[in-house]
Structure formats: structure tokens, C-alpha cells
Amino acid sequence: MATISLGDALRAGAEITMTVEPRPPTPPPPEPEPACRWEAMWKRGLEPGDAFDVGGVSGALASYLKRAPRPPEGSAALVPGCGRAYDALALARHGFDRVVAVDIAPTAVRAAMSFLEDEADGYDEDLGIYYIQIKGTRFTKIEVYEVDFFDVPDKFDFIWDCTFLCALDPSLREKWATKQKALLDENGTLLSCIFPICEKVGGPPYALSVPLVTELLKPEGFEAVETRVCEGAERHVP
């Protein structure tokens, strides 16, 4: 049986009938994966105490707050990568008048709001803030936002960086240090839980060390005033 190409058939003047089969309908595109790894974990159903959610205030922060004096009235604190906002609540109860809790994962922000609805003393619908009654008529407030840490505005007197740096790609570390400097008031305090301290490749979480974090912050003018090894109940245990 001879075969003939379409070009040959046309040159020979042959009559050719071509049948076009209908193309099957294009299936709808799959639902896109969450843009960030953390949102993917939260959307899978991250319960209190699962993975990096410690189920309550970090032991490292709780230990610090026991030793630290109450901040002056008007002080503001920032918690990047806040998760369920356990630590934001602890800072508000300690006396920071304004605590801003931010997370890039929308589901984490909703979880934080749900937690604060149960644990805060109230919610101001007009201002969109949760509040804690310290004593008498003094109230502190907690604001929760879905925002990238690098897009946070304002200045803060205190920043609690708890297992946040270790979640960032190492290529962002210098940018992290620069942003911390930009966010912190001139006389403010950056408290960082350096975790995990180990020998490992890859992440997140990416391995950290005290010298590594110190050297990151030194060019921005930070000075380490205290380095404390957390043991026992003081440890941050995800």
C-alpha cells in the first residue's frame, strides 16, 4: 500500500478528504498551590501543638517576661510570623500598649483571630482590634494583619523574633537584619529565639547559631546585651 504525503497529494491534484476529530474539552486547571509553604501547612489543618505550633506562649518568651520590667506606657511590640498569636497575647498582658502580630499565611491569621476571640478580654469592631484589660481602665490592644514582614511599616519599641529567621531562605538574611533595624525604635529591643542550633543542611527550618545571628545584626548597629541559654521550661520546644 502506497502512502503519499499531503504535499505530494496536492501537487498530484488528488482529492483528499480530511476529518477533524473534535478535541476533548480542556479540563479546568487544578487549584493552585498556596503561594507560601506555610500557608500550605496551615491549610492542611495545623492544630495547636502540631509541627512548629507550640500550643501556647514560647517558654523562652515567658522566661524573659518574668525577668523584664513592665514597658512604659505607649510602648509597641511586633511579632513577625505570629502563627496563632500566643506570644502576642503574652506581650499584651505584660503591658505593651500596642502589639502588632503579622503573618504571611492567611489561614494562620484566621487561626490567630479565632484564638484571640476566645482568649482576649474583648474586641473593638470599629477599630478591628482585640484588647486586654491590664488594671482599672488601662487596656492594651492586639492588631493582627496578613502581611509580609518586609512590608511592615511603623516603628516598634520591642520585636520578638521567634523561629522566624530560621524560616526564611538564607538569601534573605541580610535583608532581614536591615528590616529589623528599620522597624526598631532607636532605643528599642530585639529579642530573638535562635533556633534550631544544630548542624544540618537545608530547611526550613534552617540551622542557626549565636555567632551567625550576631554577625548578621552587627553591621546594622545592633549590640548583643545578653545571650542566654534556655534550659528546662525556658526552652522553645516546637
Side-chain angles (χ1 to χ4, degrees):
M1 177 179 180
T3 61
I4 185 170
S5 70
L6 180 59
D8 291 338
L10 291 176
R11 283 193 293 271
E15 181 178 347
I16 299 176
T17 302
M18 300 181 67
T19 303
V20 178
E21 294 291 333
R23 296 174 64 181
T26 303
E31 183 177 342
E33 286 294 315
C36 96
R37 176 193 301 267
W38 309 113
E39 172 63 4
M41 292 188 70
W42 280 98
K43 285 195 74 171
R44 284 197 293 270
L46 189 73
E47 298 295 329
D50 287 351
F52 49 81
D53 184 305
V54 300
V57 61
S58 167
L61 178 62
S63 171
Y64 172 83
L65 294 179
K66 287 179 182 177
R67 307 189 310 272
R70 288 196 180 275
E73 289 194 29
S75 297
L78 172 68
V79 184
C82 66
R84 276 195 170 84
Y86 307 122
D87 294 347
L89 179 63
L91 290 168
R93 285 177 172 163
H94 186 67
F96 284 95
D97 281 276
R98 180 186 181 221
V99 180
V100 176
V102 302
D103 206 294
I104 198 172
T107 308
V109 170
R110 289 193 291 272
M113 291 177 172
S114 176
F115 170 74
L116 292 171
E117 284 172 8
D118 293 335
E119 299 297 329
D121 294 328
Y123 178 73
D124 188 313
E125 293 187 2
D126 293 332
L127 298 176
I129 61 170
Y130 300 88
Y131 61 83
I132 303 296
Q133 185 172 6
I134 300 298
K135 59 180 180 180
T137 59
R138 186 184 173 199
F139 294 86
T140 60
K141 59 185 180 180
I142 306 172
E143 305 167 28
V144 184
Y145 300 107
E146 178 194 333
V147 65
D148 190 316
F149 165 73
F150 296 106
D151 295 329
V152 174
D154 298 340
K155 286 279 189 179
F156 298 90
D157 303 284
F158 184 90
I159 300 176
W160 168 232
D161 189 291
C162 181
T163 65
F164 179 68
L165 175 59
C166 70
L168 297 177
D169 188 274
S171 64
L172 295 173
R173 287 175 176 172
E174 291 183 1
K175 185 178 179 182
W176 167 88
T178 300
K179 185 61 176 178
Q180 295 284 16
K181 174 66 173 179
L183 288 169
L184 200 62
D185 185 77
E186 184 178 355
N187 298 311
T189 298
L190 168 63
L191 180 66
S192 179
C193 176
I194 301 175
F195 175 95
I197 298 177
C198 61
E199 295 291 335
K200 69 188 289 282
V201 176
Y206 295 94
L208 298 176
S209 69
V210 173
L212 186 155
V213 177
T214 301
E215 290 304 312
L216 274 175
L217 293 169
K218 191 178 295 183
E220 299 297 334
F222 284 87
E223 178 184 357
V225 295
E226 179 186 17
T227 301
R228 185 182 181 92
V229 177
C230 296
E231 297 178 327
E234 296 184 351
R235 292 182 61 212
H236 179 82
V237 184

